[in-house]
Every structure is written in C-alpha cells, then in structure tokens.
Amino acid sequence: MERKIGEQFYYEGVTLEVVESSNSIICGDCYFLHNEKCFKVMDITGKCYKKFREDNRSVYFKEVKK
C-alpha cells in the first residue's frame, strides 16, 4: 500500500497527512518518530522510504491540527 502525498487519514483519533520529505532524514518530523509502533502500522500508513514507494519519494506523516 502507498498513500499519496497530500493524502489525509485518521489514526487512533488523530488526523495525519502524508508530506514529502525535503531532507535526507525522513523520520525527523514524523508523527511516529518516537513511537514503537512505527513499523507495526505500515499496513495503515503505507511505506515512507523512497526505495519502497512507487513514486520514488520519501514521505513522513504529519499531525494535522484543527
């Protein structure tokens, strides 16, 4: 599964947006950075590293504040 850049989705009551990473450290701003669930939720979030994505772009998951 691959979520599109700009796509928003819900995870445990939080709205997250798929954002293209503009630097080499893709995890730096990710919602899941300090979360032990990071690799366990890939079936929900999709892949984030460009080598595993069809669009060849790295992404991270940013919390959308409403």
Side-chain angles (χ1 to χ4, degrees), residues 9 13 15 17-18 22-23 28 31-34 36 38 42 46-47 50-51 53 57-59 61 63-65:
F9 63 99
T15 302
E17 182 175 349
V18 182
S22 60
N23 60 37
Y31 175 79
F32 295 104
L33 177 62
H34 299 291
E36 70 279 357
C38 179
M42 280 191 187
K47 305 286 186 187
K50 66 183 180 181
K51 289 190 178 189
R53 291 178 52 87
R57 295 178 172 173
S58 292
V59 300
F61 307 101
E63 183 175 1
V64 176
K65 304 284 186 180

